[in-house]
Amino acid sequence: MHYSPRRRGHQAPAGGTWRNWAGNVTATPARWAAPRTEAEISAAVDDAAAAGLRVRALGSGHSFTPAAATDGLALDLSGWTGIVAADTRTGVVTVRSGTTLRALGAALDGLGLAMANLGDIDAQTVAGALSTGTHGTGARLGGLATQAEAFGLVLADGSPVTCSASERPELFAAARVGLGALGVISTVTLRCVPAFALAAEESPELVDEVIERFDSIAAANDHFEFYWFPYGRYALVKRNNRLSPGHTAAPNVRASRPMPGWRRFWEFEVMENAGFGALCRVGRAAPRFIPALNRFSSAALSTRSYTDSSYRVFVTPRRVRFVESEYAVPRESLRDVLAELRQAVPRLADPVMFPVEVRVAAADDIWLSTAYGRDTAYIAIHQYTGLPYQGYFDAFESIVAQVAGRPHWGKMHSLDAERLHALYPRFDDFRRVRAEVDPEGRFGNAYLDRVLGRSLPSDDGPAGPRTAPDGPP
Ligand SMILES: Cc1cc2nc3c(=O)[nH]c(=O)nc-3n(C[C@H](O)[C@H](O)[C@H](O)COP(=O)(O)OP(=O)(O)OC[C@H]3O[C@@H](n4cnc5c(N)ncnc54)[C@H](O)[C@@H]3O)c2cc1C
């Protein structure tokens, strides 16, 4: 089963080196495998155990943290895709773990179904997205893991098991946002909803007013987010609202038509990717112009409205590379955090090219979900690839630390097990389940050693040895 890894987007096969989408993490696995059946996943795990290697399943490499990096066995699941079973009456669909959200969205649409919510890209695999707590936006909706009903997992001893709320419920509770720490997810069973259309309204608005009216806008719209260029006065506000079957607009929603192909190309490819990418390159070559370029981007935001299938409206192509950190904070602390961030940005030694993104989610009960037990606002900060970011990310981290901010598991942060233990009431439960199903840490890597610790809860406390925070290799 050993092989030369196939190219999946960013993953460069040359020399067996693996690189993530942002290019800030590389790894050289000792061994690669590309299983195409569950039995082959089990055999690969057994082989790795016999060779004393640790195992990581790879998704699409879209985590900014080294969550998927391994020097042991890398499992490329890009040949393990597709829907296994679908009940169009209940909306319960089982999908192989290497399926991308893009492929899943199209396949579900063909069945008259959809994911209830998505993030802003669809390149991730379904297992990779769930494993790091990927989320979209919507005050009444949770992250993608809230849509999971069951998992097929291959455990450290190579045995295939299934778990759900009624079968091995603790394993299920841990696996919903499992960081790849419990086993190889072979299948994910999702509760989908009938296919729906979204009416999208995007407009530049004064950032002060958006922040002031944040709660009422979040309450009045199914999916609300805004992007704010840190030196500009305007935010791009996105309001996506669900249309009932047959595209009848809700009273507060203006229904429109799908964006024509040429306009889609112009808006998303030319303006948001090629145009913005060119500005970023100018800023990287002459950083003193960044605040002005940033204000220009803010002032150039345009209004658009269109209606389309939900899985097409949620996502946007992202071709300009960047690094990112994102924290989940209690909804009620959002204003204070943004106020501090707005004061901090002009004082940074290195200017910031990329916008700040703000989203919302409802509280959930998933052990390692960033929205566990509290209605949440997400604040994501970005920097163009190649520009200095550490001072910015450090300043942000110290601001969100004051309100018990929880970092996205797939986005850059410096927290270790000791700090994370204080943020997650069920942290020890997760570690206990992990110790039960993977006593030797077969599915560990350096990132998990840092965020979960190497020792078991019964050993010397929650924090294992510290490793370096995320950053360039
Ligand atoms: C441009 C861009 C936009 C993004 N937008 C959003 C967004 O809107 N919302 C959001 O929340 N996040 C967002 N992210 C972050 C992204 O969703 C997460 O980092 C996600 O985990 C990436 O999925 P992946 O398939 O690339 O997984 P990878 O990054 O390859 O892996 C993530 C983790 O999942 C594990 N894993 C993968 N497959 C399996 C499996 N079969 N079994 C067990 N473990 C497995 C890996 O070992 C690793 O620990 C974005 C990232 C980028 C680069």
Side-chain angles (χ1 to χ4, degrees):
M1 224 180 338
H2 300 174
Y3 86 122
S4 282
R6 293 181 307 132
R7 187 171 176 80
R8 189 182 207 171
H10 56 282
Q11 290 175 15
T17 300
W18 174 90
R19 181 183 296 276
N20 69 341
W21 177 88
N24 65 321
V25 182
T26 55
T28 309
R31 189 183 286 182
W32 290 77
R36 290 176 167 268
T37 64
E38 193 176 64
E40 287 185 3
I41 297 174
S42 293
V45 172
D46 284 343
D47 286 354
L53 295 174
R54 300 212 275 184
V55 180
R56 286 314 275 172
L58 302 180
S60 299
H62 275 58
S63 293
F64 299 88
T65 54
T70 184
D71 56 6
L73 169 67
L75 281 183
D76 175 349
L77 295 167
S78 58
W80 175 244
T81 61
I83 288 179
V84 181
D87 183 334
T88 51
R89 193 181 46 82
T90 60
V92 174
V93 172
T94 299
V95 59
R96 294 187 189 94
S97 57
T99 309
T100 61
L101 294 175
R102 184 172 309 147
L104 179 62
L108 289 177
D109 197 53
L111 296 168
L113 297 171
M115 296 281 283
N117 202 359
L118 284 174
D120 61 22
I121 60 159
D122 57 8
Q124 310 97 316
T125 61
V126 64
L130 264 63
S131 295
T132 61
T134 294
H135 62 90
T137 190
R140 292 175 288 275
L141 291 160
L144 269 57
T146 62
Q147 301 170 56
E149 292 272 303
F151 292 97
L153 276 165
V154 172
L155 299 181
D157 62 2
S159 61
V161 299
T162 52
C163 62
S164 65
S166 56
E167 185 181 6
R168 301 185 74 141
E170 290 215 310
L171 180 58
F172 176 65
R176 290 170 86 186
V177 176
L179 313 183
L182 306 164
V184 181
I185 298 171
S186 56
T187 58
V188 180
T189 299
L190 297 162
R191 180 166 295 278
C192 301
V193 298
F196 60 100
L198 281 174
E201 296 276 344
E202 302 176 8
S203 56
E205 297 174 31
L206 285 169
V207 69
D208 289 331
E209 289 179 10
V210 177
I211 294 171
E212 183 59 35
R213 292 190 295 121
F214 185 84
D215 288 324
S216 61
I217 306 177
N221 293 279
D222 294 327
H223 308 274
F224 155 58
E225 66 186 295
F226 71 88
Y227 290 86
W228 152 60
F229 284 91
Y231 306 94
R233 295 169 58 224
Y234 286 91
L236 177 65
V237 182
K238 295 191 172 192
R239 298 171 172 85
N240 291 335
N241 282 292
R242 292 154 177 255
L243 302 180
S244 51
H247 289 209
T248 312
N252 62 332
V253 175
R254 188 153 56 88
S256 50
R257 293 210 301 260
M259 205 182 273
W262 67 266
R263 173 125 194 252
R264 219 180 153 77
F265 179 77
W266 175 257
E267 297 270 347
F268 294 117
E269 296 294 347
V270 179
M271 297 304 287
E272 288 194 9
N273 281 297
F276 184 56
L279 285 184
C280 287
R281 285 192 296 279
V282 172
R284 189 168 58 192
R288 68 182 184 284
F289 292 129
I290 288 178
L293 292 168
N294 204 273
R295 279 191 288 275
F296 172 77
S297 300
S298 168
L301 295 169
S302 63
T303 299
R304 60 191 176 206
S305 54
Y306 56 97
T307 296
D308 209 338
S309 302
S310 59
Y311 73 102
R312 287 164 60 84
V313 173
F314 280 130
V315 303
T316 316
R318 297 268 177 242
R319 304 198 203 291
V320 184
R321 305 278 161 137
F322 55 85
V323 288
E324 177 174 351
S325 176
E326 182 177 53
Y327 268 76
V329 301
R331 266 279 298 271
E332 59 277 13
S333 56
L334 176 74
R335 276 196 194 89
D336 292 342
V337 171
L338 288 180
E340 284 205 45
L341 189 61
R342 294 178 78 183
Q343 283 179 7
V345 167
R347 294 201 294 261
L348 293 170
D350 301 299
V352 180
M353 190 66 220
F354 255 66
V356 176
E357 182 181 16
V358 179
R359 294 181 276 186
V360 282
D364 66 42
D365 61 356
I366 301 172
W367 290 358
L368 291 193
S369 165
T370 46
Y372 179 86
R374 65 192 195 195
D375 287 337
T376 291
Y378 288 100
I379 304 167
I381 63 166
H382 316 78
Q383 178 64 298
Y384 183 49
T385 188
L387 282 172
Y389 62 84
Q390 200 60 56
Y392 181 33
F393 284 21
D394 288 348
F396 176 57
E397 221 170 44
S398 63
I399 294 168
V400 290
Q402 297 164 37
V403 295
R406 296 171 178 153
H408 189 303
W409 297 104
K411 301 187 185 180
M412 291 154 79
H413 69 94
S414 70
L415 271 52
D416 61 11
E418 190 175 352
R419 305 249 329 252
L420 290 159
H421 180 260
L423 296 170
Y424 285 95
R426 306 302 297 266
F427 199 74
D428 280 342
D429 290 313
F430 184 94
R431 286 162 44 86
R432 175 176 48 76
V433 169
R434 182 189 185 205
E436 285 162 15
V437 294
D438 186 13
E440 293 176 358
R442 180 70 49 212
F443 297 108
N445 65 359
Y447 179 68
L448 291 195
D449 293 346
R450 167 158 71 91
V451 299
L452 295 177
R454 289 190 90 131
S455 53
L456 305 182
S458 55
D459 295 350
D460 51 0
R466 296 167 75 121
T467 54
D470 313 327

